Amino acid sequence: EKYFWGKANVGPFFLLLLFTPTIYRSFKDFYWTRQLRKLNTEEIISDRYEWLKLNMIKDEVEASLLEKVPSGGFQPLQLGPSTPP
């Protein structure tokens, strides 16, 4: 056994073989965590641009509607007489 671990030099190979699933899983988790963090950042930026675009359209609509308001404002609607009969 001493020859196997010391001189034959196959011990590190078997240790690598034993720990390969753990090492692979760690690298895979690290890779996907980094990729999803980058994707999350891109989604946040995209959502902010979409929010900005919608608010710009909303502001343009409000500005165009304010231009069409009469100078005295709108008169309130009155349904029926102001005093009871």
Side-chain angles (χ1 to χ4, degrees):
E1 185 176 331
K2 194 172 197 178
Y3 175 78
F4 179 78
W5 290 105
K7 307 234 190 246
N9 205 18
V10 291
F13 172 73
F14 283 112
L15 287 176
L16 178 67
L17 202 61
L18 178 68
F19 289 115
T20 296
T22 305
I23 294 169
Y24 172 75
R25 195 174 305 119
S26 298
F27 279 120
K28 186 178 74 169
D29 289 345
F30 172 74
Y31 172 78
W32 282 112
T33 300
R34 207 174 85 211
Q35 292 298 326
L36 290 176
R37 189 176 296 139
K38 188 189 309 180
L39 178 67
N40 192 21
T41 304
E42 290 172 358
E43 285 181 354
I44 289 171
I45 292 170
S46 174
D47 288 346
R48 287 180 182 173
Y49 276 117
E50 184 177 339
W51 174 84
L52 180 63
K53 180 182 172 189
L54 289 175
N55 279 333
M56 286 173 61
I57 292 172
K58 181 177 161 187
D59 290 343
E60 287 178 14
V61 168
E62 287 178 358
S64 67
L65 288 176
L66 285 175
E67 289 175 359
K68 297 179 181 179
V69 173
S71 61
F74 291 109
Q75 298 302 321
L77 288 178
Q78 189 172 10
L79 300 174
S82 59
T83 57

